[in-house]
Amino acid sequence: MTGSDRPADTWVLVPGAGGEAWYWHLVVPELQRRGYAAVAVDLPAGDESAGVDEYADVVVAALAAHRERTGGGGRTFVVAQSMGGLTAPLVCARTRVDLLVLLNAMIPQPGEVPGDWWETSGFREARRAQACRDGWDIEDLFEAFMHDVPADVRAEAVRRGEPDQTGAPFASAWPLDRWPDVPTRFLQARDDRFFPVDFQRAQVAQRLGVPFDEIPGGHLVALSRPVELVDRLESFVGPGRPGGADPGSG
């Protein structure tokens, strides 16, 4: 927790598909209660002309505006949910970040077209096999995302309606030529019905080689277990430099 003698550390929260900052609406007050600043970002997910570079521009601008308002200082931690894994490394390459946490996230590779990731990563086969083992309906995406989300939050999500998500971020090769030199952790909800935990563990080992941590919950764990999520995020940081292996050395 931040001491009164130094600026608050800031968590920058990058959403997944649909790009809604609302995804983090239960996490933000929990972080603030513990003395952190939190910047939850809306991405231009409905803009057909916006790809991952433009998404990263929006996040960097939001962080810059926050630093301007607060005078900067403190450490900066970026958390990226699901599809946010395509955007967050670009943010880390463009501005100072002290820790990147990938949460139930996609892991891109240099030059890979994100639209090809669904096949090249082995995602479809892994998800189908997990659905067969666990007995859930692979076609029911709403239940895959919301199966452990409390009824009132589910109802609010339904009321808000499904957000737009264009295919633009998936159409071009991922632009970085290497993973940014930022300490990185991977946090996976072990009950995720969209990105199964065994699939994700293999992806992290093959593509990043960074610490792999698990937490109870499903794909939208920020909606189902916000306090437990913040507990785990807080465990990654401390009074000194945050932990995590340098993926560039993996």
Side-chain angles (χ1 to χ4, degrees), residues 17-20 45 157 160-165:
E20 292 190 310
R160 292 174 61 85
E162 185 175 353
D164 292 333
Q165 178 59 64

Side-chain angles (χ1 to χ4, degrees), residues 74-155:
R75 295 172 296 170
T76 299
F77 315 130
V78 173
V79 185
Q81 155 74 14
S82 193
M83 180 186 161
L86 303 178
T87 299
L90 278 65
V91 174
C92 295
R94 298 180 187 185
T95 190
R96 176 181 58 81
V97 173
D98 296 285
L99 177 69
L100 169 61
V101 180
L102 298 172
L103 175 63
N104 297 340
M106 298 175 70
I107 305 172
Q109 289 185 315
E112 182 179 48
V113 176
D116 295 337
W117 179 91
W118 309 102
E119 295 297 338
T120 59
S121 67
F123 159 78
R124 298 190 194 282
E125 181 180 347
R127 184 164 184 262
R128 188 178 301 110
Q130 189 72 40
C132 289
R133 287 195 297 270
D134 292 350
W136 38 263
D137 182 359
I138 196 171
E139 301 298 332
D140 190 346
L141 289 180
F142 182 82
E143 192 63 19
F145 291 137
M146 293 284 182
H147 67 93
D148 67 329
V149 173
D152 59 334
V153 183
R154 285 170 63 117

